[in-house]
Amino acid sequence: MIGEKIRSLRKEASLSQTQLASLLSVSQSTVSMWEKNNNSPEYSTLLKLCDVFGVSSDALTGTTNDKVLTRVPVLGYVRAGIPNEALENILDYEDVYLRQNDPDEYFALRIKGDSMSPRMMDGDIVTVRRTSDFQSGDVCVVLVENSDATVKKVIKKDMGILLMPFNPAYDPLVFTVDEVQKKPVTILGKVTELRAKI
């Protein structure tokens, strides 16, 4: 049931019901009702929950469809373009549910630093689908000037893109369309799941 999943993900993220309610602009009692399966979040709120927890809607609702348990490498860092030979420093492997016939490739990445706290903490693991395609507001793995990759919320603007940290102590990184091409700034993949450390 979705209530149990919300409660489990909330606890993994070390959030109280009140804190989660504040992030979603709902009341604490609403979160409590979800977790008791007395009510279910509306679709728009469900998408916000997915964003907060860094999971897919399938993962949140418990729908696996034709998904199978698959091992993906956990990387210490990634380098430009991430072809197979460019996957560096495999630290471990994570078991995640992926569609059996899904042609996309996945990898996992260990978060470094606190720029994405409190939602993504140092040492947490994110699962990433390799793609250069994204929607404004997606959390992505981004490579800037072929250095180590960073995980940020990516906002599309007419003038270029903003790489937004969740931690308000950090400023967003702003790149014009020209800078995106010249540096370059490359989207390596989209975060599909967050696994918080305990």
Side-chain angles (χ1 to χ4, degrees):
M1 299 285 286
I2 191 171
E4 286 84 356
K5 190 65 176 178
I6 292 172
R7 182 170 61 250
S8 174
L9 288 169
R10 174 178 63 78
K11 288 183 176 180
E12 284 181 18
S14 301
L15 293 172
S16 68
Q17 288 186 346
T18 301
Q19 289 170 322
L20 179 58
S22 177
L23 289 171
L24 300 170
S25 301
V26 300
S27 67
Q28 179 271 330
S29 61
T30 297
V31 174
S32 177
M33 289 179 69
W34 293 340
E35 293 188 359
K36 292 175 182 176
N37 289 307
N38 291 334
N39 201 349
S40 295
E42 296 179 356
Y43 182 70
S44 59
T45 308
L46 185 72
L47 294 180
K48 289 181 183 178
L49 277 164
C50 293
D51 187 42
V52 166
F53 295 134
V55 299
S56 67
S57 59
D58 283 351
L60 185 58
T61 58
T63 304
T64 57
N65 296 328
D66 60 344
K67 293 183 179 180
V68 295
L69 198 60
T70 307
R71 300 193 84 203
V72 297
V74 178
L75 310 177
Y77 56 91
V78 293
R79 293 202 182 278
I82 55 170
N84 287 338
E85 63 272 15
L87 295 180
E88 301 282 351
N89 192 21
I90 295 177
L91 304 176
D92 200 354
Y93 289 87
E94 284 284 317
D95 292 326
V96 296
Y97 279 98
L98 302 177
R99 285 186 292 272
Q100 191 168 12
N101 297 318
D102 195 335
D104 296 313
E105 295 183 46
Y106 289 77
F107 64 94
L109 188 67
R110 182 166 290 165
I111 297 293
K112 295 179 181 178
D114 64 351
S115 69
M116 296 300 278
S117 68
R119 284 176 45 195
M120 297 179 179
M121 305 298 288
D122 186 76
D124 286 353
I125 303 293
V126 290
T127 304
V128 183
R129 179 171 62 87
R130 300 188 198 193
T131 179
S132 59
D133 186 35
F134 70 99
Q135 300 295 317
S136 184
D138 284 345
V139 178
C140 299
V141 175
V142 186
L143 197 69
V144 180
E145 296 185 276
N146 294 326
S147 64
D148 287 352
T150 183
V151 177
K152 294 288 184 290
K153 184 174 183 178
V154 185
I155 307 295
K156 291 181 180 179
K157 297 285 187 181
D158 290 340
M159 50 70 65
I161 62 171
L162 277 68
L163 304 185
M164 299 290 296
F166 289 142
N167 188 339
Y170 290 82
D171 293 326
L173 301 174
V174 182
F175 298 98
T176 65
V177 173
D178 188 52
E179 287 173 327
V180 168
Q181 297 296 322
K182 287 185 177 178
K183 283 186 179 294
V185 179
T186 308
I187 305 298
L188 300 183
K190 187 165 74 171
V191 173
T192 60
E193 181 179 334
L194 167 66
R195 295 193 174 185
K197 67 178 181 180
I198 298 177

